[in-house]
Amino acid sequence: LQASLAAIDGAGRQGLSGARGRMATAYELLGVPRDASSDELRRAYHRLAREQHPDRAAGSLSRAASVDFVALQEAWEAVRDPEARRLYDASLRADEAAAARVRARAAPVDLGEMDYAEGSDGQGVWSYACRCGAAFELTEQMLCAGIETLECSCCSLAIRPLYARAAEDEERHAPETSMHCGAGIETR
């Protein structure tokens, strides 16, 4: 499930990445609350499977739609039987606890303190040196997804980038912070 969700999340598929830029859970993919009954899970799965099945969109099926259906299948497999659901829920709780520990130890860093550059694709990339010598890199796509923390790839340090989404109708967007995701980003 995590591999398919990562493929979807990496593609930036709207509606499949969960809140604040984290990957969607099986429950989010199925459109049900975590405490949904087995019957509610089954009905949600069958409804979505009918809507997203590759045979329904025969000639116009894109790779993204195929990945969506595979992720839906894997989400259903993760929660369809009580034992698999119990293990999946335990894994979610462990992931949430780990994310909370990262957030708790993350040092706040204002976006204005980070170095800004545009990549060859025209997307903005902010970087910030870690004390281990590596660098934290923050992309516009990550900001659009609402990322909360960045972990260093070489050590256990983490930062929490401080930024605010600017209202779309405000005219004070700085050119280097205008976003392609429909919202501006400004430093705090």
Side-chain angles (χ1 to χ4, degrees):
L1 177 62
Q2 294 301 322
S4 290
L5 294 177
I8 291 169
D9 210 39
R13 304 273 305 138
Q14 189 165 4
L16 294 178
S17 67
R20 295 180 171 83
R22 64 176 167 69
M23 290 189 298
T25 67
Y27 299 107
E28 291 166 337
L29 286 170
L30 292 168
V32 297
R34 280 191 181 181
D35 61 352
S37 69
S38 295
D39 194 45
E40 290 172 308
L41 287 168
R42 184 185 52 75
R43 280 193 310 262
Y45 166 72
H46 286 287
R47 178 182 50 80
L48 291 169
R50 278 191 305 274
E51 291 172 8
Q52 296 179 12
H53 196 279
D55 290 345
R56 253 186 106 92
S60 62
L61 184 64
S62 68
R63 181 180 171 343
S66 178
V67 171
D68 291 352
F69 187 75
V70 169
L72 176 65
Q73 288 288 115
E74 291 179 357
W76 170 240
E77 292 299 322
V79 297
R80 75 181 287 179
D81 121 343
E83 180 61 17
R85 185 176 181 182
R86 186 185 66 73
L87 293 172
Y88 180 75
D89 288 345
S91 173
L92 282 180
R93 287 189 299 275
D95 290 348
E96 289 166 349
R101 285 190 298 276
V102 168
R103 281 191 304 277
R105 75 174 197 276
V109 175
D110 192 285
L111 200 60
E113 296 174 36
M114 300 177 81
D115 295 325
Y116 177 83
E118 283 194 13
S120 59
D121 60 357
Q123 293 286 315
V125 178
W126 288 264
S127 61
Y128 187 77
C130 181
R131 69 178 182 204
C132 73
F136 297 98
E137 286 197 352
L138 179 65
T139 65
E140 285 186 16
Q141 187 177 22
M142 294 163 79
L143 286 172
C144 289
I147 190 161
E148 289 184 354
T149 58
L150 286 173
E151 293 183 70
C152 181
S153 60
C154 295
C155 70
S156 63
L157 294 179
I159 62 170
R160 187 175 70 246
L162 301 178
Y163 63 94
R165 288 182 185 251
E168 290 179 358
D169 57 349
E170 290 179 358
E171 297 179 3
R172 56 190 169 104
H173 300 297
E176 70 272 14
T177 60
S178 66
M179 300 301 293
H180 301 290
C181 59
I185 301 295
E186 54 187 36
T187 59
R188 288 189 182 209

